């Protein structure tokens, strides 16, 4: 937990967005802020439309098995998983590219599963639209 807090302090101060603001906008894009939404034929659920593989990834990144599939319906735990994942993506990008990713690239990583994935232009437009609301 101390490591995660330190990680967030480092990453949140070095760019023109915060992880919280990105997650807030992602929640609007993914579910309009609703925690009971089910999508992708039952695979993606909750506030942030989290797939089972993301639960596994967050458990791997956190070094524990603290998250369950049911946690995807819990707004607080979903946001915590997103924080872990997005912090990892920011630091991975910074380590490999020498700069921090822009906000749209980070948002796209949530949709596509990697900070280095192909850009989903429709998703980027949806993100920018929801951010402005």
């Amino acid at each position: 937990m101390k490591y995660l807090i330190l990680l967030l302090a480092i990453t949140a101060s070095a760019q023109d967005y915060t992880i919280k603001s990105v997650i807030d906008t992602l929640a609007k894009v993914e579910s309009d802020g609703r925690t009971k939404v089910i999508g992708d034929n039952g695979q993606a659920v909750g506030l942030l439309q989290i797939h089972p593989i993301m639960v596994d990834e967050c458990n791997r990144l956190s070094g524990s098995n603290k998250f369950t599939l049911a946690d995807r319906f819990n707004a607080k735990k979903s946001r915590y998983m997103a924080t872990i994942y997005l912090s990892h993506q920011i630091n991975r990008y910074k380590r490999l590219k020498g700069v921090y990713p822009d906000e749209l690239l980070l948002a796209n990583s949530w949709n596509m599963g990697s900070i280095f994935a192909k850009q989903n232009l429709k998703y980027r437009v949806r993100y920018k639209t929801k951010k402005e609301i």
Side-chain angles (χ1 to χ4, degrees), residues 12-112:
S13 64
Q15 62 269 343
D16 62 353
Y17 56 85
T18 64
I19 292 173
K20 181 188 179 314
S21 69
V22 171
I23 293 170
D24 288 346
T25 304
L26 288 172
K28 292 177 189 175
V29 171
E30 296 290 348
S31 69
D32 282 325
R34 297 173 291 151
T35 58
K36 304 294 183 201
V37 175
I38 299 174
D40 287 349
N41 296 316
Q43 290 298 304
V45 303
L47 181 73
L48 294 164
Q49 291 296 280
I50 298 175
H51 284 254
I53 195 167
M54 181 60 77
V55 175
D56 293 342
E57 180 66 357
C58 290
N59 281 330
R60 183 187 72 79
L61 292 172
S62 67
S64 70
N65 285 320
K66 68 173 83 184
F67 300 111
T68 67
L69 293 179
D71 291 338
R72 300 176 297 165
F73 289 106
N74 179 301
K76 186 175 181 178
K77 289 181 180 182
S78 291
R79 287 175 177 278
Y80 187 39
M81 283 189 266
T83 300
I84 290 169
Y85 176 79
L86 294 173
S87 296
H88 173 74
Q89 293 299 308
I90 289 169
N91 289 304
R92 184 171 168 233
Y93 191 87
K94 174 75 166 91
R95 185 177 66 253
L96 295 172
K97 298 284 189 174
V99 296
Y100 288 91
D102 68 40
E103 184 174 356
L104 290 173
L105 190 60
L106 186 60
N108 189 77
S109 76
W110 183 257
N111 177 252
M112 299 298 288

Side-chain angles (χ1 to χ4, degrees), residues 108 112 114 116-120:
N108 189 77
M112 299 298 288
S114 171
F116 298 109
K118 179 181 174 185
Q119 295 298 294
N120 180 335

Side-chain angles (χ1 to χ4, degrees), residues 104-105 108 119-128:
L104 290 173
L105 190 60
N108 189 77
Q119 295 298 294
N120 180 335
L121 298 179
K122 288 181 182 179
Y123 194 82
R124 289 172 62 105
V125 168
R126 282 177 48 210
Y127 183 89
K128 286 196 302 192

